[in-house]
Amino acid sequence: MSKPTREQLWAQRTEWPLALVAVAFIAIYSVQVLGRPTGAEAHFLWLASWGAWSLFVGDYFARLLLASNRRKWFLQHLFDLLIVALPLMRPLRMLRLVVFFGVLQKAIGDAVRGRILIYTISGVMLLIYVASLAILDTERGQRGATITSFGEAVWWSITTVTTIGYGHLYPITVTGRVIAVLLMIGGISLVGVVTASLASWIVEEVSETDVRSQAATAAEIDELRHEIRALAEAVRQRDAAGRSLEAEEPAG
């Protein structure tokens, strides 16, 4: 087994702490969107949310610095750079939820690996909730908006992630449409992950059954070989005893 790199060790040690930060961020963002605080409370939540985001920016640069080949790592993680940089642009700040959702899903996926039902339910619920917050925050207050309450946002998220889309609820802003595309891709990707996990589990079970069957067959073959050797030895001993008796009879 190869020794893990410094970047892999960093990722292993920070995965769950960053997942907890993601949970905290989603809680903060929920209060901001649903509670719509004002004054000092709003300012505090704003600072806390950007503080959480800065931890993920720091994690990106830490992994870049720890990479053995930084140029190769940079080119292979352009999407990570994209989701770190885009939210700095005011119209696309809602995309902060993409990286938080990704980190949280990775932690949940590792924790419930092999439990397809739990992974599916948790993944879908988290995806719908996060998308509902994002679309409501983006669309609410816009002239001609059709999504103006959290209930409508949740209904829109459900119909979008299942690619049904009834049509009476739809985003009118560019950011809202970006969220819709990400939600559809996320739903399709989640189904793909679940399908792949299920297929992997089936292949693993079949492989283990085959290995057990081969082991049992090998044990039976060894047992038969042992019995054959024992029978052969018994036959040789009987033949030797018969020849000995034949040799003694004339002398008698």
Side-chain angles (χ1 to χ4, degrees):
M1 182 179 295
S2 60
K3 185 178 180 181
T5 63
R6 293 188 302 167
E7 182 204 346
Q8 291 173 336
L9 289 174
W10 171 271
Q12 292 172 2
R13 293 170 181 171
T14 59
E15 179 180 334
W16 274 105
L18 290 177
L20 294 176
V21 173
V23 172
F25 173 83
I26 293 177
I28 293 170
Y29 190 63
S30 299
V31 174
Q32 289 176 316
V33 175
L34 302 178
R36 307 182 74 174
T38 58
E41 183 182 1
H43 183 66
F44 172 78
L45 292 174
W46 180 85
L47 290 176
S49 64
W50 278 107
W53 177 251
S54 67
L55 293 177
F56 285 89
V57 175
D59 174 67
Y60 171 85
F61 285 106
R63 289 186 291 124
L64 176 61
L65 293 174
L66 292 173
S68 55
N69 188 332
R70 294 175 185 172
R71 184 176 182 276
K72 181 179 179 181
W73 188 94
F74 176 80
L75 294 175
Q76 290 178 341
H77 294 80
L78 290 177
F79 182 72
D80 291 346
L81 175 63
L82 189 66
I83 60 180
V84 165
L86 281 180
L88 298 177
M89 305 177 188
R90 186 174 181 82
L92 298 174
R93 286 181 182 175
M94 297 306 101
L95 294 183
R96 285 180 294 176
L97 288 170
V98 174
V99 67
F100 286 99
F101 175 77
V103 171
L104 197 56
Q105 271 297 98
K106 186 176 185 298
I108 293 174
D110 290 341
V112 298
R113 185 181 180 183
R115 303 176 186 177
I116 306 298
L117 181 60
I118 297 177
Y119 180 83
T120 304
I121 294 174
S122 63
V124 170
M125 290 180 64
L126 183 60
L127 182 62
I128 290 174
Y129 181 71
V130 166
S132 300
L133 290 176
I135 199 68
L136 178 61
D137 193 22
T138 302
E139 295 289 308
R140 183 175 53 194
Q142 299 293 328
R143 185 176 181 180
T146 62
I147 304 173
T148 58
S149 67
F150 186 65
E152 292 174 339
V154 171
W155 178 251
W156 173 84
S157 297
I158 293 173
T159 58
T160 301
V161 78
T162 56
T163 66
I164 295 175
Y166 287 109
H168 66 289
L169 296 176
Y170 52 89
I172 62 172
T173 63
V174 174
T175 306
R177 290 168 183 169
V178 170
I179 294 171
V181 171
L182 293 175
L183 180 58
M184 287 183 281
I185 294 175
I188 295 171
S189 300
L190 186 61
V191 171
V193 168
V194 172
T195 303
S197 299
L198 182 59
S200 175
W201 175 77
I202 292 174
V203 170
E204 185 177 344
E205 288 294 313
V206 171
S207 177
E208 289 180 356
T209 302
D210 187 49
V211 169
R212 288 194 297 268
S213 176
Q214 290 179 358
T217 303
E220 291 173 356
I221 291 174
D222 289 339
E223 185 177 354
L224 287 173
R225 287 174 177 172
H226 179 73
E227 291 178 358
I228 290 171
R229 284 194 295 267
L231 288 172
E233 182 64 24
V235 170
R236 281 195 297 268
Q237 290 177 359
R238 190 188 63 180
D239 291 344
R243 287 193 297 270
S244 177
L245 290 173
E246 291 176 355
E248 292 177 356
E249 284 179 359

